Amino acid sequence: NAGVTQTPKFQVLKTGQSMTLQCAQDMNHNSMYWYRQDPGMGLRLIYYSASEGTTDKGEVPNGYNVSRLNKREFSLRLESAAPSQTSVYFCASRLRLAESTDTQYFGPGTRLTVL
Amino acid sequence: DAKTTQPNSMESNEEEPVHLPCNHSTISGTDYIHWYRQLPSQGPEYVIHGLTSNVNNRMASLAIAEDRKSSTLILHRATLRDAAVYYCILSAGGTSYGKLTFGQGTILTVHP
């Protein structure tokens, strides 16, 4: 059971370049999330997918697009990277069975630098 | 969204109990109180959550005030591995789809 995996671990882009961050979970969870974390700050929600086939904006969606490819995979795309998107990106999936079980599992993160 | 207020930092000695406070005076009746922690260079990790009653699990205990305007995460015996940033988060029930709004958290330092 790998949990939540993210690729790549590190990436350096030039301003204007595009790239896709990949996320996959093997826990059969319905909901998945993309967060970003700037230095010294808490995480901020970019986009989320409550279930396969649906996606919704979070707190900071500008400059990003997402695709929920299937139940396992949720990708984040930067169409034209900007230095302000330099951050650590975390993907998460959620297990909710009942009120007593409501847990998000986070991946190890992707460290992105935009020059 | 309802906000939480936590101290920026706290210190503890190894094997002593740690009480991490959180204020959430604007909490609504359907908001759950979640705690996550983030070890250095890792993604956040779930610790515990509750609605009204105190909760215990293998990692920690959560004490919720009767008026629900504050809560305390209790680590019964701190270890060096508990050094992390601890986030107190309110998550609305129902159709919130589990969205979490992280603040800046409390940096816990554990001394040997």
Side-chain angles (χ1 to χ4, degrees):
Chain A
N1 222 359
V4 178
T5 57
Q6 293 184 235
T7 55
K9 286 187 169 55
F10 301 93
Q11 184 70 48
V12 178
L13 293 177
K14 294 180 180 178
T15 297
Q17 287 186 316
S18 62
M19 79 160 295
T20 299
L21 281 64
Q22 307 287 353
C23 174
Q25 52 95 7
D26 61 0
M27 297 174 282
N28 203 36
H29 294 167
N30 287 322
S31 301
M32 297 184 72
Y33 310 81
W34 275 106
Y35 296 87
R36 61 175 286 176
Q37 184 174 33
D38 299 330
M41 306 291 289
L43 282 71
R44 292 184 292 171
L45 182 65
I46 305 171
Y47 270 93
Y48 67 100
S49 171
S51 61
E52 186 179 355
T54 68
T55 60
D56 280 289
K57 295 178 181 179
E59 183 185 352
V60 288
N62 290 345
Y64 305 94
N65 285 304
V66 290
S67 295
R68 183 74 184 268
L69 304 170
N70 47 54
K71 193 170 187 179
R72 288 188 66 247
E73 298 171 289
F74 188 35
S75 63
L76 178 72
R77 182 160 179 84
L78 287 70
E79 291 291 351
S80 179
S84 60
Q85 294 178 304
T86 294
S87 191
V88 181
Y89 291 84
F90 291 101
C91 177
S93 68
R94 180 193 186 202
L95 171 66
R96 188 176 192 279
L97 299 177
E99 286 189 5
S100 60
T101 302
D102 190 352
T103 303
Q104 287 195 20
Y105 295 85
F106 286 80
T110 294
R111 280 166 171 71
L112 175 67
T113 301
V114 183
L115 302 176
Chain B
D1 291 337
K3 301 293 185 193
T4 62
T5 304
Q6 299 177 250
N8 288 333
S9 62
M10 292 186 65
E11 298 187 16
S12 174
N13 294 319
E14 201 174 10
E15 298 190 4
E16 290 184 355
V18 181
H19 291 234
L20 296 166
C22 182
N23 287 319
H24 29 78
S25 58
T26 59
I27 191 170
S28 74
T30 58
D31 284 341
Y32 286 79
I33 302 159
H34 290 252
W35 284 82
Y36 281 75
R37 72 181 185 179
Q38 188 173 22
L39 279 64
S41 300
Q42 294 188 27
E45 172 188 35
Y46 170 82
V47 177
I48 201 166
H49 81 284
L51 184 63
T52 56
S53 304
N54 294 345
V55 185
N56 300 295
N57 66 21
R58 64 175 179 80
M59 288 182 70
S61 295
L62 176 60
I64 301 172
E66 196 169 335
D67 63 4
R68 299 209 327 125
K69 294 185 176 183
S70 65
S71 61
T72 302
L73 178 71
I74 302 166
L75 307 179
H76 295 287
R77 288 184 66 200
T79 70
L80 296 179
R81 289 178 297 173
D82 291 323
V85 180
Y86 286 79
Y87 296 100
C88 171
I89 302 163
L90 301 183
S91 179
T95 58
S96 73
Y97 303 114
K99 289 182 288 183
L100 301 177
T101 301
F102 287 77
Q104 291 194 288
T106 297
I107 300 171
L108 176 64
T109 301
V110 181
H111 299 290

